[in-house]
Amino acid sequence: MSESDIAQTRNIGIIAHIDAGKTTTTERILFYTGRIHRIGVIDDGTTQMDWMAQERERGITIVAAATTCYWQDRRINIIDTPGHVDFTAEVERSLRVLDGGLVVFDAVHGVEPQSETVWRQADKYDVPRVAFINKMDRVGADPDAAVRSIRERLGANPVPVQLPIGREQEFQGVVDLIEMQAIVWPSDAVAQPSVEDIPDDLAEVAVVARMQLLEALSEFDDHIAELYLNDEDVDAGAMIAALRRGTIESLLVPVLFGSALRNRGIEPVLDAVVRYLPSPLDVPPVRGIDPATDETLERGASEDAPFAALAFKMVADPHSGKLAYFRVYSGRIEPGTTVLNVGTGKRQRLSRVLRMHADKREEIKDPIVPGDIVAAVGMRDVSTGDTLADPAHPVLLESITFPDPVVTIAIEPKSRADQDRIITALGKLGDEDPTFQVRSDEETGQTLIAGMGELHLEVIVDRLLREFRVGANVGRPQVAYRERPVRAVQAPGRFIRQTGGRGQYGHVVVELEPLEPGAGVEIETRIVGGAIPVSFLPAAERGVRRALTGGLQGYPVIDVRIRIVDGSFHEVDSSELAFEIAGAWAVEEALRRSGTAVLEPVMAVDVVIPDEYVGDVLAGLLSKRGDVQGTEPRGGSSVIRAEVPLATMFGYASALRSATQGRGTFSMEFSHYAVRPGAGTGQEVLTGV
């Protein structure tokens, strides 16, 4: 593949709030590009991208699915991502390796809670975006309000490049503000749109909308600004070039309108993807560090550069072992080449490389080049976020960070025969999903699994039973509480054992200091005068970290700074084990002296209900210790925004359906940790109260 071929590649993600129409839009894109020949329907469970049994049964996307299609001789690599907040890790790791995003919004609801989440994730990775206002045929569709919500709630600069022709049941097509012509779809069936003159009732509105588009482009394009100020005509080519530049530099977001379910608006969306979103050559070179020197290195999208790729997704394949999805940033290699996992230092042979279409696969024989998003079979020593590179030119790319899980349940095998299988299965699921964690409770001996929400863990358990055929008993969901120190203290930890021969001696003094909420855990070493030999400091830090995982009241400690400031050692008896134990004991003593507050996860909750149920729902949220942030009208309904402790939200879906006769919906995402009312400081451990 030449540089001109790389310029024809688009790596995009379809991202949105749940039920905005991502998968429906993706299905139409695949159909209109000729990748599939029959449009799948979510309600029938026949979609290509939602291939898991759990996805088809629930009618939602659970895992990100990759595919490739072609439009106007451009290759488009697509990742269809989930919209439910419980599976936000799938969006996070997809956006990490994508060059552009197609963000789908509901024309009735505009920006919704998960819309904000995925938008922030795209901001984090500087991903240029095109917006598609979907469901223009729905009752209550309000394109102006949807565009306004993008500007006000996301802080973006949405610039419509189309004008809808009609809305709700009267939605027929769009006015192209660049070519100044109407594009009309004759029916809901798959058919070519007709290009017509702009309807008379929209002629003046279209002229004003085009002037607003030119004004937006004039803000950063001097050529268009000059033409616009002199009342000269601006040709379509200049506008497209300016829109492309503005999109790639994240100065604006082109906005299009349509109804994916009724097959209206998909072709212009594809045109916008190839016109405005960047190729691998248009994005800045990826940065990493030299693992030997810590020097910053860059890898541009060139076949002549050393090979560098990032593994962003793992799948436990029952037939082929672990499947690793990776994005190639630089270099050209042949399948069968050996690459280096830079983080672990282990070499891995790319024996079979696949191009994926959801769960279907096509083996690649051609060279792998920059911009490719592919999967490799049998990658046992590769995990999410690992860098694969040329062994002769290693570079360590920035990994991917994920939020901590907030819900925990206990799980145990039903029989002795299930014991080994459940351990293996949980390990494979943990490899796939970084937000799914497994640990053992030392006090009860139970196996605990943690995830991002009830639905997340429900799907995990369902997969255990179906895919891995493991019989298991599952406990009730539990909240993942945290602890935070109350005050700054200093405390010693001294471990001494004399056994007649060589003993054990370790002495560590730590300073503990509470930090601001969200600061995390900081561990520093400030030893002077050699009070603790340098060789024992890593062991002392390990002990400190170990003590923080259990806390004073049994929960992990967060928002704390620990400084190792003093200690002593014995020339003969001191050892790494002794200093690890001493470090842990020092932190435990510091926590006892400080006391800790128990923190609980608080969720940002949006409830959408008919107006007549507002009073009952508000009362229900207040009874759950909810803090109502506000209420606003939206398309004939009311939206209640509140912050509610997660512990009180279990089973809320059923309660809401009961209170609203099945007409209410809600979504929630993690907001912050707050002190749990009624929880002690932990100082009763000292006082015995």
Side-chain angles (χ1 to χ4, degrees), residues 505 507-508 532 536 540 568-569 574-583:
Y505 182 90
H507 174 215
V508 175
I532 300 176
F536 292 140
S568 61
F569 70 101
S574 288
S575 66
E576 289 191 5
L577 175 62
F579 272 95
E580 184 172 341
I581 295 173

Side-chain angles (χ1 to χ4, degrees), residues 613-662:
Y613 300 111
V614 169
D616 291 341
V617 172
L618 280 173
L621 290 172
L622 292 173
S623 71
K624 293 179 176 295
R625 296 192 281 123
D627 179 13
V628 177
Q629 306 290 303
T631 304
E632 67 180 46
R634 181 192 290 172
S637 300
S638 292
V639 182
I640 301 174
R641 291 195 173 87
E643 293 182 346
V644 190
L646 175 61
T648 68
M649 288 298 292
F650 293 127
Y652 185 62
S654 298
L656 181 64
R657 282 195 295 268
S658 176
T660 62
Q661 297 183 2

Side-chain angles (χ1 to χ4, degrees), residues 101-312:
L102 175 62
V103 191
V104 183
F105 297 94
D106 187 315
V108 178
H109 300 303
V111 173
E112 298 176 87
Q114 189 66 2
S115 307
E116 296 186 55
T117 301
V118 298
W119 195 273
R120 289 196 302 269
Q121 289 171 308
D123 283 341
K124 176 180 176 181
Y125 296 113
D126 296 323
V127 176
R129 278 143 278 178
V130 168
F132 177 49
I133 308 297
N134 189 29
K135 302 189 179 183
M136 281 295 302
D137 59 312
R138 281 190 60 189
V139 175
D142 189 339
D144 295 332
V147 173
R148 190 164 55 249
S149 69
I150 295 174
R151 179 177 293 109
E152 294 174 355
R153 295 189 61 181
L154 301 179
N157 181 23
V159 177
V161 296
Q162 296 176 340
L163 191 66
I165 301 176
R167 64 180 66 178
E168 299 181 347
Q169 292 298 317
E170 302 301 319
F171 176 67
Q172 302 172 14
V174 295
V175 174
D176 183 342
L177 298 177
I178 297 174
E179 300 286 354
M180 288 302 283
Q181 58 191 16
I183 304 173
V184 178
W185 283 267
S187 67
D188 294 355
V190 176
Q192 290 291 326
S194 59
V195 178
E196 305 173 0
D197 292 334
I198 299 173
D200 293 340
D201 60 332
L202 288 178
E204 293 185 9
V205 179
V207 170
V208 173
R210 191 173 197 268
M211 290 179 62
Q212 293 172 341
L213 171 57
L214 289 172
E215 287 178 7
L217 299 179
S218 299
E219 293 183 5
F220 61 88
D221 190 294
D222 293 339
H223 174 61
I224 288 183
E226 182 179 352
L227 294 174
Y228 177 69
L229 291 173
N230 293 328
D231 289 329
E232 297 181 34
D233 184 50
V234 182
D235 64 85
M239 294 180 70
I240 290 171
L243 279 163
R244 178 173 178 79
R245 176 190 161 198
T247 304
I248 291 174
E249 295 180 8
S250 296
L251 301 173
L252 55 80
V253 179
V255 180
L256 298 93
F257 304 90
S259 170
L261 186 64
R262 296 177 66 181
N263 307 306
R264 298 179 178 182
I266 301 302
E267 299 97 321
V269 165
L270 284 163
D271 290 339
V273 166
V274 300
R275 282 178 176 178
Y276 309 134
L277 292 179
S279 76
L281 296 174
D282 295 318
V283 297
V286 66
R287 290 190 170 189
I289 60 171
D290 186 323
T293 64
D294 286 340
E295 177 187 357
T296 300
L297 302 175
E298 289 188 347
R299 292 283 190 267
S302 169
E303 294 187 31
D304 298 327
F307 177 76
L310 186 75
F312 67 94

